[in-house]
Amino acid sequence: MRHLLQRALQSRTFYWNGLSNLRTCAQGFRLYSKLDQFCYPVSLKGQHCLNKRDFRSGYFQSANCSLSRSCYTNVTTSQDLKSENEEVLKDASEDCPVLEAISYWTREFETAGVPEPDASAEYIAAHVLGYKSFSLISPLVRNLTAEEKTKVWKLCEKRMNRMPIQYILGEWDFRDLNLVMRPPVFIPRPETEELVEHLWLYLQEDLTREEEDLDVLEVGCGSGAISLSLLQEFPQACCTAVDVTKEAVELTQHNAERLGLGDRLDVKQMQFNTSADFGTKFDVIVSNPPYIWTEDMETLEQEIVGYENHCALHGGTDGMGLIRDIIHIGHRLLKPGGSIWLEVDPRHPDMIQTYLNNHLQYQLQLTGVYQDFNNRPRFCCLELRE
Amino acid sequence: MIFRSLRYVGVVVHKPACSPAFIRCLSGGGGRWKWHRHPPISWLRPVTVFQRLIPQPTRRVITNTQTFSTAAKERTFSLQNEGTWRYLKRLVTEGQAVIDKLQTEEKTETENKRLTKRWVELRPIVEKVQQVERTLGELADIEKLLAGLEDGETEMRDLALQEKESYENDMEHLEDEILTLLVPADEADENDIILEVVAGVGGQEAMLFTSDVFEMYCQYAAYKNWHMQVLTSDSSTLGGLRHATASIKGLNAYKLLKLEAGVHRVQRVPRTEKSGRVHTSTMTVAVLPQPKEIDNTWDKSEFKIETKKASGAGGQHVNKTESAVRIVHIPTGVAVECQQERSQIRNRAIAMQTIQARLYQRKLDQQRSQRQLARQQQMGTAGRSEKIRTYNFTQDRVTDHRAGINMFNLQDFLIGGDKLDEMIHTVQQHLHREEVLLIMEQDTIQQKKL
């Protein structure tokens, strides 16, 4: 480590401003403490700072003060390096350090008002270097080759046009799976991971499930995230996934084949309405239906409005359009003891309760409302009355 | 059992009458005193526990021992002790109250849990006390029968006496069992241990003695069918031991051997001594429980999970790639952050695993420092005055200073078989009694306060 750092310092590939962009405070801190240990007699006063901003400021202060006392006089200050490197970055044929590229693009994104500027630049750089996330890279080791640099520049240009990161990279993770993402198919959100988690726990508790088959219907499958996760975690499960758009159906099929789960998944392109007939009944109907209210559609970010399919987002004036359909049609498709699992808007659980109270003929009961990681009521479990 | 301790007490009383010369002459010159190894039972049955509860006109009592036992009775736990009986009665009443509550009243879940737990603790005691009462009733009946018998009915009398004998035996066992029930269990009783012996003051002689004692424990482990493995040993030039450690695995290893921890003193003419003077040296024993596999389960509510909060409505309304998760263990303040994965739920799982490993490590460290403390306490200053036991070779005697008992035939004792086992059990009983007495005293004080 000492050797590496010294080399880095001498070859000037390592400069302070670049470090400020370290995505992970933990990593930065680790790096810093190594530096501290090997190069500088001054130590960072603060404890492990987990707030990124705190970390940066604290880090800079002590870094500067370390520098001023440092015996490594050949390290130029960041100001000098900045101008020098701007030129290096513009020249496409030259290698450039990863950290510099990232800091350059972070600044660009910031000025252009792109959300999550630092994370965007880091994900793109990591992707080009063949990593999933920036914290897995040792940032001092490697320079971007000219080819990689061109790639980064190309992808970052896309981000400047507000394309979601998931579409730019063409793939993203959902729970344990890696899924292909393709516009305009809806990108699964972290909340949906939690929906699967709750459903998973619910099914685990039911011990008799182990021997029995598990038939699942997913309404509005998008990239197939929910169905594929369930298939992966329950080897006895069989899924039917339906979606109204052709792109979604194709992408789900593609992802299923890529993950080797295609034989237990049946994907259908269809409108989920009263004429829907599956010839079988299901233990579970799960859905992340479009639930955004018409009035909210205008407030969405450019990434969402501009790239994602509106029919995967817009749920009618009260966001309940498909939810009502699922209740109306779904209750007939459930096996005895079956349940419907939905991800909804925080306002919806109460509305669903009222709706079920007014429509007792569906024999459905809202038995569970779960909160997401922001503590908003997000997930509903509807069980068929015995 | 009280008899066991009294047995040696009784023996002590007899013993000073015999001079060392007498002993030597009896043992045929070998320093052994074989006939005392299994003393006739009649010697050793000084007083039965319930002697005062039931009139026994025909009881044979060795007077010397009786004075001893009366003295012993006042400061130890025994069923004849009025205080003990009162304490037990109180526990039984409490047990009844608990079971009544459990069966009838409406309770909250926590209340229910508490009551059930208490009942599990009290039930065996209540049952044993009921058994004692039954046995006492039977004994009283037999006494009545005996009193009413004519002189001629010898056969009947024999039968009655036999039955009485068996009930008395039952009483012994019951008292024993009640005592064990009243002693709170040590958490580490089931653990494997590390035994450490260190020579104290006395130079080479102390090292020689350390080696003797270590050998004794090795043989004792074999006697108990424990698995013993010597970890380190540092021998001296004369064949003594400066220091040795061994790991011992087996049933009740800690429970029994923890009583051996402390300073052991030896008084003998050392092999190194030329002019035949008796030296006093010491060695210390430390017994440390090894940590068991600890449950890696922490309550979910102890953790605070932090994620980057989505502003606005969240869900489909936003598309954030920020997936970092930070978990804080609230009671200890240990925090772990994970952002290496792009899936938030994966990050959460990894962070949870990491924090649990950290907490486990922390627990182990704490245990280790506790053990360190225990070791220091056990080792003491290894001075001659802090001894728990003395091995006096010139008098062929082992004295345990905690229970105040003597045993003879040192060579047999050092073999680490029955004799050592009996000594350990006696000391255990003694310490249990003291502990229960303490508990009872505290209980009385508490009752008075109420």
Side-chain angles (χ1 to χ4, degrees), chain A residues 17-240:
Chain A
N17 208 7
L19 252 190
S20 76
N21 271 309
L22 266 186
R23 171 94 192 297
T24 70
C25 315
Q27 175 129 3
F29 187 75
R30 198 166 68 232
L31 226 130
Y32 177 77
S33 46
K34 286 279 187 217
L35 273 174
D36 195 359
Q37 199 177 330
F38 290 115
C39 307
Y40 302 110
V42 193
S43 72
L44 184 63
K45 264 181 239 130
Q47 295 288 307
H48 187 143
C49 349
L50 283 140
N51 181 320
K52 204 179 280 184
R53 195 158 296 138
D54 289 353
F55 170 68
R56 271 187 206 163
S57 54
Y59 174 75
F60 260 121
Q61 273 163 19
S62 58
N64 286 334
C65 102
S66 311
L67 264 176
S68 58
R69 290 190 224 168
S70 155
C71 51
Y72 291 88
T73 43
N74 60 343
V75 177
T76 1
T77 58
S78 52
Q79 281 305 314
D80 296 339
L81 274 170
K82 205 168 176 179
S83 49
E84 212 176 290
N85 280 290
E86 293 283 306
E87 281 161 30
V88 175
L89 289 168
K90 272 171 196 149
D91 186 353
S93 62
E94 273 198 41
D95 286 8
C96 90
V98 181
L99 287 172
E100 278 176 33
I102 288 173
S103 71
Y104 170 77
W105 276 109
T106 306
R107 279 198 303 277
E108 293 285 306
F109 290 150
E110 251 166 29
T111 10
V114 175
E116 298 189 297
D118 43 0
S120 302
E122 285 158 14
Y123 276 126
I124 289 171
H127 176 78
V128 170
L129 288 168
Y131 291 90
K132 276 198 172 178
S133 72
F134 189 71
S135 53
L136 296 169
I137 310 177
S138 173
L140 292 177
V141 183
R142 180 108 132 63
N143 278 8
L144 288 173
T145 62
E147 195 189 335
E148 283 165 345
K149 195 175 153 190
T150 331
K151 231 176 176 178
V152 169
W153 255 245
K154 218 175 93 194
L155 295 181
C156 285
E157 291 296 342
K158 284 190 185 173
R159 184 71 189 123
M160 288 298 268
N161 293 328
R162 307 292 298 269
M163 191 188 232
I165 276 289
Q166 294 93 335
Y167 289 152
I168 297 175
L169 309 185
E171 42 101 22
W172 200 250
D173 289 353
F174 184 85
R175 291 173 69 84
D176 294 335
L177 304 177
N178 180 259
L179 300 173
V180 170
M181 298 288 154
R182 213 185 278 156
V185 182
F186 178 76
I187 299 165
R189 310 286 200 262
E191 282 88 350
T192 313
E193 293 185 306
E194 286 192 295
L195 171 68
V196 177
E197 186 82 10
H198 286 298
L199 178 53
W200 183 79
L201 284 171
Y202 175 84
L203 292 174
Q204 285 285 316
E205 269 174 31
D206 201 349
L207 288 172
T208 52
R209 291 265 177 231
E210 263 180 33
E211 303 99 46
E212 285 174 34
D213 289 347
L214 181 64
D215 291 315
V216 181
L217 171 69
E218 187 188 356
V219 183
C221 56
S223 57
I226 300 176
S227 290
L228 295 170
S229 274
L230 289 173
L231 285 175
Q232 190 223 10
E233 270 155 51
F234 294 96
Q236 77 276 30
C238 283
C239 282
T240 308

Side-chain angles (χ1 to χ4, degrees), chain A residues 23-24 50 116 123 132-133 135 164 166 171-173 175-176 178 186 189 191 193-194 288-289 291 296 300-301 304 345 373-374 376 378, chain B residues 300 305 307-324 326 335-337 339-346 348:
Chain A
R23 171 94 192 297
T24 70
L50 283 140
E116 298 189 297
Y123 276 126
K132 276 198 172 178
S133 72
S135 53
Q166 294 93 335
E171 42 101 22
W172 200 250
D173 289 353
R175 291 173 69 84
D176 294 335
N178 180 259
F186 178 76
R189 310 286 200 262
E191 282 88 350
E193 293 185 306
E194 286 192 295
N288 175 16
Y291 55 70
D296 291 346
L300 297 180
E301 290 169 350
I304 299 169
D345 188 271
F373 57 88
N374 290 314
R376 297 190 182 96
R378 180 68 70 189
Chain B
K300 248 188 184 172
I305 301 175
T307 46
K308 190 104 177 183
K309 297 258 181 223
S311 53
Q316 294 174 353
H317 296 77
V318 291
N319 179 8
K320 288 266 182 283
T321 52
E322 176 69 64
S323 62
R326 181 173 184 246
V336 157
E337 205 190 30
Q339 49 192 348
Q340 73 197 51
E341 293 284 331
R342 297 192 297 208
S343 149
Q344 183 173 291
I345 219 145
R346 289 278 306 143
R348 199 156 82 188

Side-chain angles (χ1 to χ4, degrees), chain B residues 44-62:
Chain B
L44 304 169
R45 302 215 80 191
V47 187
T48 48
V49 181
F50 30 88
Q51 196 187 342
R52 265 161 214 84
L53 297 175
I54 307 146
Q56 287 187 342
T58 53
R59 190 87 213 158
R60 285 167 298 145
V61 177
I62 299 167

Side-chain angles (χ1 to χ4, degrees), chain B residues 424-442:
Chain B
I424 289 174
H425 275 109
T426 316
V427 173
Q428 192 181 34
Q429 288 291 332
H430 174 81
L431 295 179
H432 279 180
R433 270 159 218 278
E434 304 250 296
E435 203 174 341
V436 169
L437 274 184
L438 203 73
I439 293 172
M440 275 165 27
E441 259 169 43
Q442 278 166 354

Side-chain angles (χ1 to χ4, degrees), chain B residues 2 6 9 46-47 52 64-74:
Chain B
I2 192 161
L6 285 176
V9 172
V47 187
R52 265 161 214 84
N64 271 346
T65 345
Q66 196 184 6
T67 55
F68 237 93
S69 80
T70 319
K73 192 208 82 184
E74 274 159 14

